[in-house]
Amino acid sequence: MKCVVKTAAGSGKLALWDKPVPIPGDGEILVKVKAAAICGTDVHIRAWNEWSARRMTPPVTIGHEFCGEVVELGKNVRGARVGDRVSAESHIPCGVCPDCRMGNRHVCRHTGLVGVTRDGGFADYIAIPAELAYVADDAVDYRTLAILEPFGQAVHAVMDYPVAGKTVAVVGCGPIGVMCVMVARRAGAGRIIAVEPNPLRGRQALERGSDNLVNPLETDPVEAVMALTGGVGVDIAIEMSGSVAAEEQATRYIRPEGKFVVAGLPSQPFTFDLAELAYKGITIHGAAARLLYETWEQIDALLKQGMDLSGIVTHELPLAEYETGLDLMEQGKCGKCLLLP
């Protein structure tokens, strides 16, 4: 089978390899990949940033956002059948550490990662633990199935605190940020302010439910958000940009006793005035990936209520054109880009 492999440590080092089709082990399923979505993490793996270098031992097939059809079962598989159409969770908690045993599997410190610590979905086939699979209704198309893993990040971030009737800022409107806008709108947010410098992505946020757009390259975002809220500030800021400057700015336009949900991953240390947060009573909460598996139940409910994610996908490319897809993501010239084996 064909697969995209991080062949060695260092910048670049990606290649299209031929590998044997994997054999599903005990408790695993073999999935024929129909579509795989490119994530910012895949861009970081190509660049070989510090996060990648600490977690990966090449060669590894990359890609952790994907969907497909179950074509083979290993031994002792429950909950999946041959012919099922599936998306999948990408984090594999150990299940036995204190965090897992307390029900906090989403922050397991021994988590395995599809496409990072084990072979991923930029391939014709992938073997995964059956418990990771989300079995979808026939009505859910493959474009949507392929992006349910990142959609779950948006669902987790927005659902951290009640947003109904609240003023919400979504900071960074890449694909997941735009999905945050959509979930916040569906959950009844009173006003949604998108903070995004990329015109394409800002327009997508407005089209999918944001009431206002603040471009931090054109105006001071703190002044703009405070003006839009009558000097009060936002109830909840959801940080998806990974920008240190944007994160610091958000701490200044969150209202007293407001909430700051951080899901974007900055490449540098984040500094802010802790005294200001203390005086204002602001709560900061990291929204790590998805709650396992509560978020997937919420995803299922939103899809059944008619949540339409089709517009998030803007490009579809053959698997062999993975470099073009990675370039589009790195340059902010796409929503979600799918690779089609």
Side-chain angles (χ1 to χ4, degrees):
M1 69 172 187
K2 296 293 185 182
C3 49
V4 179
V5 177
K6 181 71 176 181
T7 61
S11 178
K13 311 290 187 181
L14 290 177
L16 192 66
W17 276 14
D18 282 307
K19 279 187 177 182
V21 175
I23 299 171
D26 191 18
E28 292 186 339
I29 58 176
L30 181 66
V31 177
K32 173 68 178 76
V33 178
K34 297 292 187 180
I38 294 174
C39 175
T41 298
D42 302 312
V43 175
H44 296 324
I45 289 171
R46 179 173 67 169
W48 201 243
N49 69 351
E50 188 269 340
W51 183 94
S52 305
R54 280 193 290 115
R55 288 169 172 82
M56 292 189 76
T57 304
V60 177
T61 301
I62 67 170
H64 57 276
E65 302 173 5
F66 63 93
C67 68
E69 179 182 343
V70 178
V71 294
E72 187 178 342
L73 307 180
K75 295 181 180 179
N76 302 311
V77 167
R78 295 180 297 174
R81 299 175 298 179
V82 171
D84 281 344
R85 302 165 68 258
V86 298
S87 182
E89 172 58 45
S90 63
H91 289 196
I92 310 171
C94 74
V96 296
C97 70
D99 296 312
C100 285
R101 289 165 67 89
M102 291 181 66
N104 295 320
R105 291 178 290 182
H106 63 295
V107 288
C108 169
R109 282 167 277 190
H110 310 291
T111 295
L113 301 170
V114 173
V116 178
T117 64
R118 62 179 284 158
D119 283 341
F122 287 3
D124 292 329
Y125 294 88
I126 181 174
I128 59 169
E131 68 179 34
L132 300 186
Y134 165 78
V135 179
D137 293 338
D138 289 343
V140 184
D141 66 25
Y142 281 116
R143 286 186 183 89
T144 296
L145 275 181
I147 61 173
L148 290 190
E149 193 262 15
F151 179 55
Q153 171 75 89
V155 172
H156 180 191
V158 175
M159 298 296 190
D160 250 2
Y161 298 102
V163 300
K166 303 294 186 181
T167 299
V168 179
V170 177
V171 186
C173 293
I176 299 179
V178 170
M179 289 190 280
C180 283
V181 169
M182 297 170 67
V183 176
R185 177 57 66 211
R186 177 60 65 95
R191 168 176 279 189
I192 301 172
I193 302 170
V195 182
E196 171 57 52
N198 182 308
L200 168 65
R201 292 176 167 177
R203 184 169 65 252
Q204 289 177 330
L206 288 171
E207 292 171 350
R208 289 170 173 80
S210 177
D211 298 289
N212 306 102
L213 173 64
V214 173
N215 184 334
L217 299 182
E218 297 176 350
T219 186
D220 183 316
V222 178
E223 293 180 0
V225 172
M226 294 303 288
L228 287 168
T229 58
V232 174
V234 300
D235 299 293
I236 303 168
I238 300 171
E239 211 300 306
M240 285 288 174
S241 72
S243 162
V244 170
E247 290 169 339
E248 188 279 328
Q249 290 160 354
T251 65
R252 291 189 278 132
Y253 58 68
I254 298 172
R255 70 182 300 168
E257 290 298 334
K259 313 299 182 186
F260 190 20
V261 179
V262 180
L265 302 178
S267 57
Q268 305 171 43
F270 167 38
T271 59
F272 55 93
D273 185 350
L274 186 60
E276 181 176 357
L277 265 69
Y279 285 130
K280 290 171 69 175
I282 292 175
T283 300
I284 300 181
H285 187 214
R290 292 146 302 282
L291 300 177
L292 304 181
Y293 288 91
E294 177 185 341
T295 299
W296 284 93
E297 296 294 331
Q298 294 170 325
I299 289 171
D300 187 70
L302 287 166
L303 292 177
K304 288 176 178 175
Q305 291 170 11
M307 178 71 78
D308 180 8
L309 302 180
S310 59
I312 299 299
V313 174
T314 59
H315 294 72
E316 298 180 19
L317 300 170
L319 182 65
E321 296 182 20
Y322 63 90
E323 290 282 7
T324 299
L326 289 165
D327 289 343
L328 287 168
M329 176 61 73
E330 184 173 29
Q331 296 164 9
K333 295 181 178 179
C334 64
K336 271 295 181 183
C337 179
L338 298 187
L339 298 178
L340 308 179

